[in-house]
Amino acid sequence: MQTAIPCLFMRGGTSRGPFFNAADLPQDIATRDKVLLAVMGSPDRRQIDGLGGAHPLTSKVGIVSKGSKPGVDLDFLFAQLQPDKDTVDTTPNCGNMLAAVVPFALETGMIKPQGDTTTLRVLTLNTDMQCDITVQTPGGHVSYDGDARIDGAPGTSAPIKINFLDTAGSVAPSLLPTGNVRDVIDGVEVTCIDNGMPLVMFKAEAVGRTGYESVEELNADTELKARLETLRIACGHAMQLGDVTKKNYPKMTLIAAPRAGGSITTRSFIPHVCHDAIGVLAAVTVATACVLKGSVTEGIAIVPDGQVKQISVEHPTGEFSVEIEVDPANPQDVTRAALLRTARLLMRGDAMVPAAVWGGKQTADATLRRAG
Ligand code: NQM
């Protein structure tokens, strides 16, 4: 016997994974984590016995429920697993998986559509961050067809707009958790910053690289990876994040001058594998560093004038545009960040876990939902 758990398999931005109604998973966290590991097939480099895609970007899980706070429509808990580790990390955010939350809630009838578009307020439980997400719902159905293109995912889809309301100091205690906009740590000039995702940013040339290397080159660069890990652990302490040896943050971000008409070039380690693009909140955080006087981006980032700025973050497979708004009285203060993602429902059904992992008494609700 296996336990069947109702599940939608979804792409969110440039990530992918199973999404669950929180009510269908074990309420006890240790059992829930065992279930998620079994669903994904971790730990195993190939995740051959589960749904994971043998990469951190395809080892992600979304857990959704109705909003628990006044004014909030939906709660979202993101879980980061790893192919070859037995960890389930719910500390940091994932802005890519976030893009699939409203489509999931509409598809499963958790919430009703509002008209041709549906805008819902979503609370990310990982860091207590709120955002407004708008999806296309013509005729009361989620539309996945459209002209929106995001680099890092093939083709075009319906646009999903995310408007972040409060991102500063997501996992770290503040936007600049070392108290400085620039530090020298382990011999490298860095900006340690968290506007939705804790990042350590530094010029690629500071570690003897150009910042224009391919993902394959960087993933094969064991000398660089060892250097980055030592730096990451030192920065983790400086950012008041404690021992980050087993954590997926801070992400290590090499930067260089833009060379495709954008604002800055990045290579983002998440944190041990180089991202094919860049994370959503990582891009928001990079864009924020670009407007901070004295950050390591100074002298290389090209930043437009005005209160609302489009910052184009170049990455290995294209670029990621972030719209940021600064306080006119204090142009160092980013008050809002908005961006475009896409998502798609890939499959609906039940995720099966061995009964030895979870006996999983299915609720009447779950059975009904499965029956449609
Ligand atoms: O930064 C990868 C991704 C992410 C996270 C990672 C993300 C974000 O691309 O908000 O989206 O940084 O591990 O899914």
Side-chain angles (χ1 to χ4, degrees):
M1 274 295 283
Q2 298 205 82
T3 302
I5 312 172
C7 168
L8 298 191
F9 198 58
M10 306 196 71
R11 174 178 67 78
T14 54
S15 290
R16 188 187 74 198
F19 278 74
F20 298 100
N21 182 325
D24 293 338
L25 289 172
Q27 301 308 300
D28 154 60
I29 291 176
T31 315
R32 180 203 68 193
D33 287 356
K34 273 195 224 153
V35 165
L36 297 185
L37 287 163
V39 166
M40 300 308 275
S42 293
D44 169 42
R45 190 174 52 81
R46 293 183 303 146
Q47 293 174 314
I48 198 69
D49 202 29
L51 298 176
H55 190 284
L57 297 180
T58 50
S59 298
K60 295 173 180 248
V61 176
I63 304 172
V64 185
S65 49
K66 278 206 153 186
S68 57
K69 280 191 181 170
V72 171
D73 299 300
L74 295 169
D75 286 358
F76 168 52
L77 182 69
F78 159 66
Q80 176 72 64
L81 284 77
Q82 298 291 342
D84 54 351
K85 297 198 181 99
D86 64 356
T87 53
V88 179
D89 193 356
T90 55
T91 323
N93 298 316
C94 177
N96 274 306
M97 291 290 275
L98 179 63
V101 169
V102 175
F104 171 87
L106 290 164
E107 293 280 3
T108 55
M110 188 182 278
I111 209 141
K112 297 269 169 285
Q114 296 163 339
D116 282 351
T117 63
T118 298
T119 300
L120 299 178
R121 181 151 295 181
V122 179
L123 170 71
T124 299
L125 298 175
N126 302 67
T127 63
D128 205 25
M129 170 190 79
Q130 295 193 17
C131 64
D132 288 331
I133 303 184
T134 303
V135 305
Q136 310 293 308
T137 46
H141 298 287
V142 183
S143 167
Y144 298 103
D145 294 339
D147 298 334
R149 198 178 62 80
I150 57 167
D151 289 329
T156 63
S157 308
I160 295 178
K161 187 155 187 204
I162 309 183
N163 206 349
F164 290 105
L165 304 171
D166 55 340
T167 41
S170 69
V171 179
S174 60
L175 180 72
L176 296 170
T178 68
N180 306 312
V181 71
R182 193 188 289 227
D183 295 277
V184 177
I185 299 180
D186 201 20
V188 181
E189 274 206 329
V190 292
T191 291
C192 296
I193 177 166
D194 175 358
N195 199 19
M197 184 62 77
L199 298 191
V200 178
M201 297 175 57
F202 45 93
K203 293 196 176 95
E205 66 184 32
V207 290
R209 305 299 185 272
T210 64
Y212 307 115
E213 291 84 0
S214 69
V215 171
E216 293 71 27
E217 278 174 286
L218 291 171
N219 279 335
D221 191 342
T222 46
E223 185 198 321
L224 175 68
K225 282 182 165 181
R227 175 89 183 83
L228 295 190
E229 190 57 5
T230 312
L231 177 61
R232 194 175 79 84
I233 288 164
C235 290
H237 288 293
M239 294 171 82
Q240 303 179 59
L241 294 167
D243 179 7
V244 294
T245 317
K246 292 205 168 113
K247 293 293 183 184
N248 299 311
Y249 54 82
K251 317 278 178 181
M252 305 304 283
T253 312
L254 284 68
I255 58 166
R259 45 172 214 184
S263 310
I264 191 163
T265 295
T266 56
R267 294 293 181 269
S268 171
F269 280 81
I270 57 169
H272 302 123
V273 172
C274 182
H275 202 306
D276 293 290
I278 187 166
V280 171
L281 287 148
V284 170
T285 302
V286 167
T288 303
C290 288
V291 301
L292 290 186
K293 212 159 175 271
S295 85
V296 289
T297 68
E298 211 166 58
I300 59 172
I302 298 172
V303 182
D305 293 331
Q307 187 181 342
V308 177
K309 304 171 192 294
Q310 291 292 331
I311 306 270
S312 163
V313 179
E314 296 178 5
H315 57 67
T317 47
E319 69 85 44
F320 191 133
S321 287
V322 183
E323 180 182 289
I324 60 170
E325 187 166 345
V326 295
D327 178 355
N330 175 13
Q332 306 283 307
D333 186 10
V334 172
T335 52
R336 189 180 62 87
L339 46 88
L340 190 76
R341 293 280 84 189
T342 64
R344 194 166 77 83
L345 172 62
L346 305 176
M347 199 211 73
R348 65 168 92 234
D350 292 331
M352 308 300 293
V353 294
V357 174
W358 184 40
K361 218 167 76 48
Q362 289 295 303
T363 61
D365 269 9
T367 312
L368 274 176
R369 269 198 299 280
R370 223 180 12 257

